[in-house]
Amino acid sequence: MHIKALLTQHIEAVFAELGLQSPALIQAASRPEFGDYQANGVMAAAKRAGINPRDLAANVITKLNSNANFSAMVSATDVAGPGFINITLAASFVAPALTVAINPTPAPQTVVVDYSAPNLAKEMHVGHLRTTIIGDSVVRVLEALGHRVIRQNHVGDWGTQFGMLLTYLEDSGNESDELSDLENFYRASKQRFDDDDDFRDRSRRAVVALQSGDANALAQWQRFIDISMSHCAHIYDRLGITLSDDDIMGESAYNDDLAGVIEALAAAGLLQRSEGADCVFLDQFKNKEGLIQPVIVRKSDGGYLYATTDLAAVSHRARRLEANRALYFVDARQSLHFKQIFAVARAAGFAPETMQLEHMPFGTMLGKDGKPFKTRQGGIIKLADLLDEAERRAAALVREKNPDIGLEQLNQLAKVIGLGAVKYSDLSKNRTSDYVFDWDQMLSFDGNTAPYLQYAYSRIQSVLRKSEVDPTLLPSNAIAEDQPERRLAVCIAGFNDVLQQVAEEGYPHHLCAYLYDLATRFTAFYEQCPILVSDDAQRTRRLSLANSAGITLQKGLDLLGIDVVDHM
RNA sequence: GGCUCCGUAGUUCAAUGGAUAGAACGAUCGCCUCCUAAGCGAUAGAUACAGGUUCGACUCCUGUCGGGGCUACCA
């Protein structure tokens, strides 16, 4: 059920009938006393038509009420304030939504989602959390709505830094166990690269050897990549990320396409030689002095750059994968880069006009001092260490709450709760804002956190167990009666609206906010409406509501990549 | 310099141009004879500054102050 879409349709139809072209602007009511939903569009429509907004609102309501379909879904509509329309849904309309079905989209698309993309030169650190977790959640939501999703893990497996790493690997006698700590290995080779001129030159030659397909260099490279990728796979497994080896489409995969990209750009008349490099100059990247910022696609030494690779990737996604949409969950610092890539791709015809290219940026991770974490020298926290600490803290808490718990169950609980907390703390923030990394914040188990939602879920399971009824036999369309029941039921009915929004905009924090609201409404209901001690009809109705709330929580958390447990 | 993002309670975060700016943590005070107190209730506390547009501005525009980021051969 898409409540917003239905209300929007009805109201905009009335607007049209009155000769007005204006959005209905439906949103969930900002306060409970305003009903369940509100339409904010009347004021603007009235303004444009030069009529009194409250009169228009009254007129709209009259027309709405004469529509049988609208009357069936709504129990009250009122004009409020300067011209808001407050809408209270009919309990009988809300009831069917308690089956908690996710509605498939009427217009399924092929959506490429580019996310995670760790740099294989290094070990995954906390900076990779956002793209990986947020991207995976959006992927889950898109798939749940019936879109065909193609994951693309555009790993950093190519480029100049590998010259440095392979040269260092060679110098250190090919000791593969040194690679067990990738981070140290990277740091050591970087140090050498910065200090040693000869090493630097050899590193650059190693890059050329790699790019020209030298067999020995390639073999070394492959070994390095395999080891590094297995580190990533391990992290994905722990985090429950849906990426697999099949989704790996790294930078190196486009090597054979790069020359073709240059040719195509030349054929399109876009290529210009400037200071020895092949560039594309587009008017839209002109500054105030009229100077155009070039997009360099081939260096003066003949080497390609990541811009070239990304152009090849756009082309691949458009033609081979036949994507209608491509989403890039990548750091906001690359905003200009993607603006350029998308513009060049369009100009060169690599992507059809009908294909949406969307950079879904996220903010930078900051230290507690508010300054960006420097990834170059120290200061980074490995993802593996963060997850260990999360599980350790969760285990300590679980043991404290439940001293008699068995070891196996303890570990299982600690994992679900610890990882849930880490993921939720990231997912619940607007991805575009910068991100302050703080152990205690990230591993908090109180308040608006995943454990709160998991706790609400486990309480529901507890009540259902005690009721000794089979939840699948509960009526799935109970009519809510008391106020806390209504508030809960209306919230459950809004599930599809929020999924739709996340699929369109790529902001899972809206789903988090929704689930938190749902959980607080459940808790209010739980406090105010005794379930098990009620009489038969009431008991069944309330059990049914609780069950629906539990299913919604479970499904919603699953779309965030967070598990639930029956006991906490 | 140019472009761009940001500045909201003590702290961490919310708020498609809508009504009285919401939460959480922390603080203070309450609530377990009662379906799990990882909970619930109450109190205090915020839009950097100055203009402007608008019926209505945290949100849009201009300026000031403060802080990130990007900006021709790294990715």
Side-chain angles (χ1 to χ4, degrees):
Chain A
M1 173 158 17
H2 293 102
I3 297 173
K4 283 189 193 175
L6 281 172
L7 292 174
T8 299
Q9 235 169 52
H10 279 123
I11 289 182
E12 290 182 359
V14 171
F15 278 174
E17 201 180 318
L18 295 169
L20 300 169
Q21 279 289 323
S22 212
L25 302 179
I26 301 295
Q27 64 178 214
S30 56
R31 312 170 67 82
E33 57 267 36
F34 298 155
D36 300 321
Y37 285 83
Q38 62 185 68
N40 299 334
V42 172
M43 278 91 75
K47 179 73 182 176
R48 215 170 303 171
I51 50 182
N52 180 298
R54 284 188 64 98
D55 290 348
L56 175 60
N59 196 359
V60 168
I61 288 174
T62 305
K63 288 196 180 297
L64 285 172
N65 285 337
S66 68
N67 177 330
N69 289 332
F70 181 82
S71 301
M73 70 183 285
V74 163
S75 67
T77 38
D78 303 288
V79 183
F84 295 98
I85 296 179
N86 290 342
I87 297 163
T88 303
L89 298 176
S92 58
F93 168 76
V94 171
L98 299 178
T99 53
V100 198
I102 295 178
N103 301 341
T105 175
Q109 292 183 306
T110 296
V111 186
V112 165
V113 183
D114 180 327
Y115 69 108
S116 195
N119 180 353
L120 296 186
K122 304 189 214 174
E123 201 162 325
M124 287 183 84
H125 57 85
V126 288
H128 294 109
L129 212 46
R130 308 207 84 181
T131 170
T132 304
I133 289 178
I134 293 172
D136 205 55
S137 176
V138 172
V139 159
R140 287 166 186 256
V141 171
L142 287 166
E143 282 188 337
L145 293 177
H147 294 289
R148 174 169 171 254
V149 175
I150 303 176
R151 297 162 177 76
Q152 293 281 279
N153 195 356
H154 194 87
V155 298
D157 62 355
W158 204 246
T160 48
Q161 55 197 328
F162 286 92
M164 167 183 100
L165 293 165
L166 295 185
T167 304
Y168 191 76
L169 186 64
E170 200 179 331
D171 284 6
S172 59
N174 289 342
E175 297 289 333
S176 68
D177 52 326
E178 279 208 48
L179 285 173
S180 63
D181 192 327
L182 267 182
E183 209 49 48
N184 286 341
F185 189 87
Y186 182 89
R187 239 196 307 277
S189 32
K190 173 83 172 119
Q191 184 78 45
R192 188 77 174 278
F193 187 85
D194 289 341
D195 297 346
D196 183 339
D197 289 345
D198 174 60
F199 182 85
R200 197 157 49 234
D201 287 342
R202 285 161 51 222
S203 296
R204 286 182 176 140
R205 283 199 296 276
V207 176
V208 176
L210 253 189
Q211 292 189 336
S212 60
D214 178 85
N216 184 44
L218 276 174
Q220 291 275 47
W221 169 81
Q222 189 61 54
R223 193 163 67 91
F224 188 95
I225 294 304
D226 288 346
I227 294 170
S228 183
M229 202 57 228
S230 73
H231 283 137
C232 295
H234 183 60
I235 296 284
Y236 291 155
D237 185 50
R238 285 186 73 181
L239 275 172
I241 299 302
T242 61
L243 283 168
S244 76
D245 285 354
D246 296 340
D247 306 314
I248 297 170
M249 192 66 188
E251 294 168 350
S252 65
Y254 298 99
N255 284 337
D256 294 343
D257 303 338
L258 300 180
V261 168
I262 304 294
E263 283 169 28
L265 291 173
L270 292 167
L271 211 60
Q272 282 182 46
R273 181 63 62 91
S274 173
E275 297 177 27
D278 287 327
C279 306
V280 177
F281 289 85
L282 292 178
D283 282 347
Q284 53 210 282
F285 299 107
K286 199 185 291 183
N287 68 17
K288 275 183 181 161
E289 285 85 54
L291 294 170
I292 300 177
Q293 191 70 237
V295 180
I296 301 179
V297 291
R298 185 159 57 185
K299 298 190 282 183
S300 48
D301 68 4
Y304 301 106
L305 299 100
Y306 76 135
T308 330
T309 309
D310 278 336
L311 285 169
V314 171
S315 181
H316 176 255
R317 289 161 190 190
R319 290 166 193 207
R320 283 281 149 66
L321 304 180
E322 300 182 320
N324 306 114
R325 246 184 125 184
L327 312 181
Y328 292 75
F329 287 88
V330 182
D331 195 309
R333 284 176 287 195
Q334 297 199 29
S335 293
L336 176 61
H337 168 70
F338 281 114
K339 233 179 246 171
Q340 293 175 327
I341 294 305
F342 295 164
V344 173
R346 296 249 188 251
F350 292 162
E353 289 303 322
T354 51
M355 177 180 172
Q356 295 166 254
L357 293 165
E358 302 169 53
H359 180 206
M360 300 279 182
F362 51 83
T364 310
M365 187 181 57
L366 308 175
K368 242 183 158 177
D369 57 0
K371 293 187 173 157
F373 259 157
K374 295 292 178 196
T375 50
R376 292 294 154 117
Q377 53 268 32
I380 74 151
I381 295 165
K382 291 182 188 178
L383 212 31
D385 293 342
L386 174 69
L387 302 185
D388 288 345
E389 178 67 9
E391 291 183 18
R392 199 186 61 73
R393 292 196 190 195
L397 185 64
V398 170
R399 201 180 290 116
E400 181 190 316
K401 304 264 182 199
N402 191 351
D404 300 327
I405 195 169
L407 188 64
E408 193 176 328
Q409 203 188 349
L410 170 76
N411 290 335
Q412 174 59 20
L413 263 181
K415 191 177 166 185
V416 172
I417 293 169
L419 295 184
V422 167
K423 285 185 157 187
Y424 189 88
S425 81
D426 203 336
L427 287 164
S428 61
K429 295 170 177 64
N430 185 325
R431 63 172 156 76
T432 55
S433 44
D434 286 344
Y435 174 109
V436 174
F437 182 82
D438 173 31
W439 285 105
D440 294 328
Q441 211 89 47
M442 177 154 259
L443 299 179
S444 162
F445 303 124
D446 296 319
N448 185 359
T449 61
Y452 177 88
L453 304 181
Q454 291 166 327
Y455 182 64
Y457 177 84
S458 69
R459 277 175 137 181
I460 291 169
Q461 301 317 304
S462 174
V463 173
L464 290 172
R465 272 195 304 275
K466 290 202 165 132
S467 76
E468 295 184 337
V469 304
D470 178 350
T472 61
L473 298 180
L474 285 166
S476 59
N477 57 350
I479 307 276
E481 291 189 10
D482 302 304
Q483 199 48 223
E485 295 179 10
R486 277 206 74 253
R487 301 251 312 137
L488 180 60
V490 168
C491 187
I492 291 169
F495 188 42
N496 275 286
D497 280 330
V498 73
L499 297 186
Q500 187 63 38
Q501 190 186 359
V502 172
E504 283 170 11
E505 301 171 352
Y507 287 105
H509 79 280
H510 286 129
L511 178 54
C512 292
Y514 168 83
L515 292 174
Y516 183 66
D517 184 37
L518 176 66
T520 57
R521 289 190 196 211
F522 167 75
T523 305
F525 158 81
Y526 181 86
E527 298 273 331
Q528 294 167 46
C529 302
I531 299 168
L532 297 178
V533 298
S534 304
D535 64 56
D536 268 0
Q538 197 169 58
R539 181 182 143 108
T540 304
R541 183 177 80 239
R542 288 180 175 171
L543 277 171
S544 169
L545 277 163
N547 185 42
S548 295
I551 294 170
T552 310
L553 276 172
Q554 186 274 322
K555 287 192 181 185
L557 283 169
D558 182 58
L559 295 177
L560 295 173
I562 296 173
D563 288 332
V564 293
V565 287
D566 289 344
H567 296 269
M568 272 180 83

